[in-house]
Amino acid sequence: MKTPATREAAAAALLERCSDARLAEPGVKNYLTVRLASPKDLLAAARLLKGELGFGYLEMITAVDWLGPMKLEGLVSSRNPNPFTDKLPGPPVPPAAGAGAPYRPVLDLLWSFGNLRDGVKVFLRLEVPRDHPEVPSLAGEFAAADWQEREVYDLLGVRFAGHPNLTKILTPDFINGHPLRKDYAHEKDSYDGD
Amino acid sequence: MGIILDKAPMIARPIPGGQVLLTTADYFIDLGRKYSVWPLTFGLACCAIEMMVAYAGRFDFDRLGVIPRPSPRQADLLLIAGTVTKKMAGPIQEIYHQMPEPRFVISMGSCANCGGPYFDSYSVVKGVDRIIPVDVYIPGCPPRPEALIYGVLELQKKITRMKLAKGGGATHQQEKGSRDLAGSNA
Amino acid sequence: METDRLIASEPGPELESDTMFINMGPQHPSTHGVLRLGLTLSGEVIKRAAPDVGYLHRGTEKLMETRSWSQCVVLTDRWDYCSAMTSNLAFSLAVEKLLGAEAPPRAQALRVIMCELNRIASHLIFLGTYGIDIGALTPFLYAFREREMILDLYERCCGARLTYNYIRPGGVAADVDEGWIAKCREFLEYLKPRLDEYDALLSFNPIFLARTRDIGLISAETAVHWGLSGPNLRGSGVAYDVRKAEPYCGYENYDFEVPVGRTGSCWDRYFCRVQEMRQSARIVAAALASLPPGELRTKAVPRVVKPAAGEAYAHVEASRGDLGILAVSDGGAAPFRVHVKAPCFINLAILQEILVGKKVADVVAVMGSIDIVLGEVDR
């Protein structure tokens, strides 16, 4: 009988193996979140989790665009961006001093790995710059990554190097851009009449 | 059958009493059409579940002659039950054009009527009437099966007003009172 | 002669090249919505299956960034429209985690009752439609008869049949009265023999067995590899249930089993759901018996929800699997980002693998057994 895997042990192993990885503080509430330092570590971390630690269940891949509230040129406030603007958005607005959230021009990726036997999970985080978001694909290790990476690519524009078929999955072909990015402005198409 | 119906007014009008004959023919044809509205088995989203409920035992759509058909070639009625997305708009137009005349469209639920809760979404068509003409709109999110039945009853009323003399049995696009198709493209 | 050579020799690559592409959907009676499957066939055998999704992509995650936290609950109803309660619950739990609040005991118990009733309703839809897919029309009529009773209960409690908006951050929207509880008990009594009836009608029907047993096999490793969850994972013999692994809403207080399948065939996945209905009925009965009095909404969740900056992940065992919500707040009145870990989306991806090598007649049986709801696949 193996000793049950704990997220603390998993996090410790990850911190030891990956250089410059650290516990994200604050991470996802009530869960252990390990922040990787560079995309180079991702594959090693995933293999470690899957192979040695028994976290063979890739639950979720997602990303958050931390570009702060956007001012869409001459239009309504960012909280209610008019999706049918003809104008392109203006340059990103620097976050207001004292704003509660850490706005910065990055895409913060998040992976969640589960250990089904013991019912624990560990989150991995990785920041990539918005203008050049590229991380290695986990599709070779986990089949579950296939579609989820395509989804993140489609909606947030993160490129997963080595993905066998990194194409749009949800949005129609004629929609340009990545809708979940904060500076996404919907270009009027033929279905958006008056 | 369609050709015969098309030609019927031309043949009937010159003969004495032809108008009466036409009116009588209208009555019987409409009666037949009214009680055999066959919708396409086609659900898009949440409303499709309520549509299925309407076919099931409690609401029993069959008693109105509404029997689902799996192919657009055999269907008279296109029930747009759910959100029409931009990706789905093309296929819906294609299905609509595959259906034989006379064809009817019921737009079921807020999403199909005007976009509903997704009125400001980047990937939703704000109303199916932007891409195909609609006969009956049913409000609700989702409409209850009773509302759908009421919608079909309204459609039946509309069918009883159809005249052979006007467009060979099929309703003209303009008469349907919907937006024109010029603004859309497939 | 050319033909003689073809007959005499083993089928070589020149025969393989004679493939046919079949487009299934987005309008197809048994794709359960607007799924499109591109099937490449060689004769009757599927060489390649490519599910094409996105025909119901409504951009919910983006819309949520423009709605207030409590308005978002309305949108959650429309993901998995067959079991909207669990979607409500997942989102509410995420918001409560962000706020550090917890719903009062009565609300917790009501949440459990509603979610389990919804699981029964959702699995009844599966049972009915799967029967139709296989060619048995009658179970559909029976299953929807029972489902209507659950919907009547919902209607009496919260006024809606399909999209409830009942479970909200901080508690639930409406209380149940004694009459409701009596009706619910009556329904549970009524359901029990009906489930046995389904077993006689469908589960152990020889034709049904022949069409679903040994079809669409998913081994436990494959299931985990593809990240399946819910009855699809348990049908392969992996007893993972969020209600047991990370209990929420006091599921640890209820006694229930997690049914698992043996071989991971279509029938196993089907039967897991049938067994789950029995377990859900058991949970509802227990929760009704121990329904505590008290208030329905906690004061810790204000009317205008404005969580402090941070992120929270909450996941629940929805009818179709492990539904997770990642909610990120920047301190504003609207979510900064909401991500839905949609079980249907992840479950559907496995079709690419398990359909290959199957006969074209089995496509519907396999696809139906995965039990997808397109609203959740595409969001």
Side-chain angles (χ1 to χ4, degrees):
Chain A
M1 180 77 195
K2 276 163 70 180
T3 50
T6 60
R7 50 190 201 172
E8 284 78 17
L14 276 171
L15 293 183
E16 190 194 317
R17 205 68 70 88
C18 304
S19 58
D20 295 335
R22 59 192 163 83
L23 282 183
E25 206 55 56
V28 179
K29 272 194 185 169
N30 303 347
Y31 291 103
L32 264 185
T33 315
V34 175
R35 182 173 286 289
L36 298 178
S38 88
K40 288 196 292 286
D41 296 337
L42 178 68
L43 266 178
R47 285 193 186 124
L48 174 74
L49 278 168
K50 187 187 180 188
E52 291 173 38
L53 302 170
F55 286 75
Y57 185 63
L58 176 66
E59 290 187 335
M60 177 174 75
I61 304 175
T62 185
V64 181
D65 184 2
W66 273 108
L67 190 72
M70 289 296 307
K71 265 220 171 64
L72 294 174
E73 198 86 291
L75 284 160
V76 277
S77 76
S78 66
R79 277 297 174 209
N80 185 18
N82 184 347
F84 309 116
T85 169
D86 288 329
K87 290 173 189 162
L88 285 171
V93 183
Y103 302 128
R104 56 201 188 276
V106 296
L107 292 171
D108 202 359
L109 284 130
L110 181 72
W111 289 262
S112 151
F113 294 90
N115 182 329
L116 293 188
R117 194 168 57 98
D118 304 307
V120 289
K121 70 175 72 182
V122 165
F123 285 90
L124 280 190
R125 300 221 82 146
L126 178 62
E127 267 183 15
V128 287
R130 286 183 91 253
D131 43 359
H132 183 69
E134 186 162 321
V135 291
S137 165
L138 294 185
E141 305 291 319
F142 301 90
D146 182 356
W147 276 25
Q148 299 202 51
E149 283 177 353
R150 280 178 69 187
E151 185 199 344
V152 174
Y153 164 73
D154 189 2
L155 299 179
L156 284 138
V158 180
R159 262 165 231 294
F160 291 89
H163 189 284
N165 178 28
L166 197 63
T167 48
K168 272 172 174 274
I169 186 165
L170 290 178
T171 58
D173 293 338
F174 53 80
I175 285 192
N176 298 319
H178 307 288
L180 281 182
R181 287 203 176 195
K182 293 288 172 190
D183 58 353
Y184 172 78
H186 182 74
E187 290 169 32
K188 227 179 209 180
D189 56 46
S190 53
Y191 297 111
D192 299 322
D194 300 313
Chain B
M1 187 67 189
I3 297 166
I4 300 170
L5 290 186
D6 271 352
K7 299 276 183 277
M10 261 195 304
I11 302 161
R13 232 182 247 124
I15 52 174
Q19 207 57 44
V20 180
L21 192 72
L22 265 185
T23 319
T24 323
D26 274 342
Y27 175 77
F28 283 105
I29 290 168
D30 290 345
L31 195 68
R33 273 189 187 141
K34 184 176 156 186
Y35 291 117
S36 60
V37 179
W38 288 357
L40 181 66
T41 321
F42 179 52
L44 284 163
C46 332
C47 295
I49 303 293
E50 291 295 62
M51 185 181 77
M52 275 156 63
V53 170
Y55 292 133
R58 185 179 191 174
F59 296 97
D60 193 14
F61 239 169
D62 278 12
R63 67 204 154 97
L64 303 176
V66 179
I67 300 165
R69 304 299 301 176
S71 160
R73 304 281 183 202
Q74 304 165 346
D76 311 301
L77 170 63
L78 183 57
L79 254 170
I80 305 290
T83 317
V84 182
T85 60
K86 288 174 185 168
K87 198 169 177 177
M88 197 59 207
I92 285 181
Q93 279 171 317
E94 198 170 314
I95 291 164
Y96 177 75
H97 290 298
Q98 278 172 353
M99 286 166 59
E101 283 279 6
R103 57 195 163 196
F104 311 100
V105 179
I106 288 185
S107 155
M108 181 184 181
S110 302
C111 291
N113 293 347
C114 61
Y118 307 99
F119 69 99
D120 54 352
S121 168
Y122 55 88
S123 68
V124 171
V125 180
K126 281 87 205 163
V128 70
D129 53 6
R130 283 171 190 247
I131 52 170
I132 52 173
V134 173
D135 292 281
V136 177
Y137 297 85
I138 307 173
C141 189
R144 301 177 56 91
E146 291 96 323
L148 178 59
I149 290 174
Y150 181 68
V152 171
L153 291 175
E154 288 298 305
L155 179 69
Q156 289 183 342
K157 272 188 208 160
K158 201 168 175 174
I159 290 173
T160 51
R161 292 197 297 269
M162 282 169 61
K163 297 276 184 292
L164 275 181
K166 286 186 187 174
T171 327
H172 278 306
Q173 219 83 290
Q174 292 83 359
E175 279 176 50
K176 290 189 175 180
S178 301
R179 283 174 229 190
D180 62 346
L181 284 164
S184 70
N185 68 339
Chain C
M1 268 174 67
E2 184 73 357
T3 38
D4 291 343
R5 194 182 63 81
L6 284 181
I7 290 163
S9 65
E10 290 287 316
E14 61 268 41
L15 276 184
E16 291 292 316
S17 68
D18 193 21
T19 56
M20 182 164 64
F21 181 80
I22 286 193
N23 181 43
M24 191 174 169
Q27 185 269 320
H28 188 277
S30 32
T31 49
H32 296 221
V34 282
L35 170 68
R36 179 169 162 258
L37 267 181
L39 299 171
T40 312
L41 306 179
S42 168
E44 244 191 296
V45 180
I46 293 157
K47 290 283 158 202
R48 189 168 168 272
D52 182 11
V53 299
Y55 287 100
L56 196 52
H57 177 61
R58 306 186 270 204
T60 316
E61 288 172 11
K62 181 76 174 177
L63 290 184
M64 282 186 157
E65 292 170 12
T66 67
R67 309 282 203 267
S68 76
W69 285 94
S70 23
Q71 284 174 330
C72 288
V73 183
V74 176
L75 295 177
T76 66
D77 278 328
R78 285 146 185 89
W79 294 331
D80 185 350
Y81 37 76
C82 294
S83 86
M85 286 283 184
T86 44
S87 314
N88 284 180
L89 178 62
F91 186 78
S92 303
L93 283 178
V95 178
E96 281 165 19
K97 262 193 187 171
L98 268 181
L99 291 163
E102 201 175 340
R106 188 175 176 87
Q108 302 267 26
L110 281 175
R111 284 174 173 190
V112 169
I113 293 171
M114 295 304 173
C115 285
E116 292 306 318
L117 281 177
N118 213 331
R119 194 186 312 278
I120 299 175
S122 164
H123 286 346
L124 281 172
I125 292 189
F126 163 77
L127 196 138
T129 51
Y130 195 46
I132 292 188
D133 288 349
I134 299 289
L137 185 66
T138 333
F140 168 78
L141 299 169
Y142 286 115
F144 272 65
R145 182 187 61 187
E146 269 74 271
R147 182 173 173 270
E148 280 299 311
M149 296 179 152
I150 300 177
L151 297 193
D152 282 349
L153 287 172
Y154 280 153
E155 219 179 326
R156 182 162 172 179
C157 178
C158 69
R161 285 167 53 88
L162 202 62
T163 47
Y164 312 108
N165 193 12
Y166 176 72
I167 297 170
R168 298 175 187 177
V172 295
D175 204 353
V176 298
D177 53 14
E178 282 305 317
W180 191 92
I181 293 170
K183 271 205 108 161
C184 191
R185 288 219 173 93
E186 206 176 289
F187 165 72
L188 293 177
E189 282 308 306
Y190 172 83
L191 181 72
K192 238 176 148 218
R194 294 290 102 71
L195 288 175
D196 298 332
E197 206 173 280
Y198 297 144
D199 279 351
L201 192 64
L202 194 63
S203 308
F204 300 106
N205 181 321
I207 304 170
F208 183 73
L209 277 171
R211 287 222 45 197
T212 55
R213 200 174 46 189
D214 306 327
I215 306 285
L217 296 178
I218 304 175
S219 69
E221 292 76 43
T222 318
V224 173
H225 190 49
W226 282 88
L228 298 193
S229 55
N232 297 321
L233 180 66
R234 293 193 284 273
S236 300
V238 183
Y240 175 73
D241 190 315
V242 183
R243 291 173 292 175
K244 290 278 189 195
E246 278 182 61
Y248 51 91
C249 289
Y251 266 108
E252 64 272 24
N253 304 329
Y254 303 110
D255 187 27
F256 65 100
E257 286 151 28
V258 178
V260 290
R262 270 175 304 193
T263 56
S265 66
C266 292
W267 190 83
D268 275 345
R269 291 191 281 279
Y270 160 84
F271 202 59
C272 260
R273 294 190 174 95
V274 176
Q275 297 289 63
E276 265 181 28
M277 283 196 257
R278 293 199 166 90
Q279 297 300 329
S280 293
R282 197 171 146 194
I283 297 173
V284 175
L288 282 176
S290 64
L291 189 63
E295 55 181 3
L296 295 176
R297 298 194 69 156
T298 168
K299 297 275 184 293
V301 177
R303 210 162 265 278
V304 179
V305 182
K306 256 188 162 177
E311 46 196 312
Y313 179 72
H315 62 153
V316 302
E317 185 68 32
S319 306
R320 285 166 182 76
D322 175 3
L323 174 68
I325 306 285
L326 176 80
V328 183
S329 169
D330 65 344
F336 187 70
R337 168 95 167 89
V338 175
H339 175 75
V340 193
K341 186 236 160 198
C344 291
F345 179 72
I346 298 164
N347 289 346
L348 180 61
I350 202 176
L351 278 187
Q352 307 171 67
E353 178 165 321
I354 57 171
L355 280 183
V356 173
K358 299 282 178 319
K359 291 275 168 35
V360 72
D362 292 334
V363 171
V364 170
V366 174
M367 191 166 59
S369 76
I370 299 285
D371 190 21
I372 47 160
V373 166
L374 265 298
E376 195 176 82
V377 173
D378 299 337
R379 300 184 295 288

